[in-house]
Amino acid sequence: MRWWDIAPVLALELELFPEDAWSAGMFWSELAEAHPGGTRHYTVAVTPDGALAGYAGLMAVAGEGDVQTIAVDGRHQGAGLGSALLTDLVGEAARRDCADLLLEVRVDNERAQRLYERFGFEPVGIRRGYYQPANVDALVMRLDLTAARAAAPAAPAPAAPEDLDEPADDPRPDVKKDTRHG
């Protein structure tokens, strides 16, 4: 993600998370740490014509990783883009020698929970009232990356049919990894 991605990211953020969307300042702060040696890694997915289709971010500090955000435009959901973005974050966390990768997901977002479970994330707790102002609880999930590294490399299990929407008419967007601060 680069500075010029912030405006389309904000538009998608407001569309997908209207009650608890991040602000421009929050994204600017995150990008300030997305440089070689920084604690953040952000990536975007764009369509062949350059339109934003999704984004994801990771924080990695002292061997611990945290999925900061992951979002896919509704027109591209069900086409594997969420899996591609999460694969990028898991790979980056492993590259940074994180032992664990944590994330929070709304307790009412079962589709996202199924995606995370396919990657090997397991529930470890609940954060009461985490998502404000709706006062929705967050399920905390953890992926043990040391165990994942010890096991033979394997791709996540394919999506179950109930997890998929009809694919978008556009070709599948590409994940464009760009972590330099611009």
Side-chain angles (χ1 to χ4, degrees), residues 86-133:
L86 187 56
T87 296
D88 179 74
L89 297 184
V90 170
E92 183 65 18
R95 189 186 73 71
R96 293 179 182 222
D97 293 323
C98 292
D100 298 305
L101 184 56
L102 296 167
L103 59 81
E104 292 88 12
V105 59
R106 287 175 65 111
V107 295
D108 57 0
N109 190 344
E110 293 176 13
R111 183 175 185 185
Q113 290 173 36
R114 287 192 303 266
L115 169 67
Y116 302 139
E117 288 169 355
R118 283 194 311 271
F119 274 75
F121 283 86
E122 296 179 344
V124 294
I126 298 284
R127 294 186 194 270
R128 302 277 176 218
Y130 184 79
Y131 293 99
Q132 293 295 328

Side-chain angles (χ1 to χ4, degrees), residues 8-22 52-55 69-77 85 106 109:
V9 162
L10 279 173
L12 184 55
E13 178 84 2
L14 286 168
E15 179 183 324
L16 296 174
F17 312 112
E19 292 182 336
D20 52 3
W22 285 18
L52 180 80
Y55 57 92
T69 187
I70 186 166
V72 176
D73 186 313
R75 295 168 292 187
H76 300 286
Q77 291 179 3
L85 289 165
R106 287 175 65 111
N109 190 344

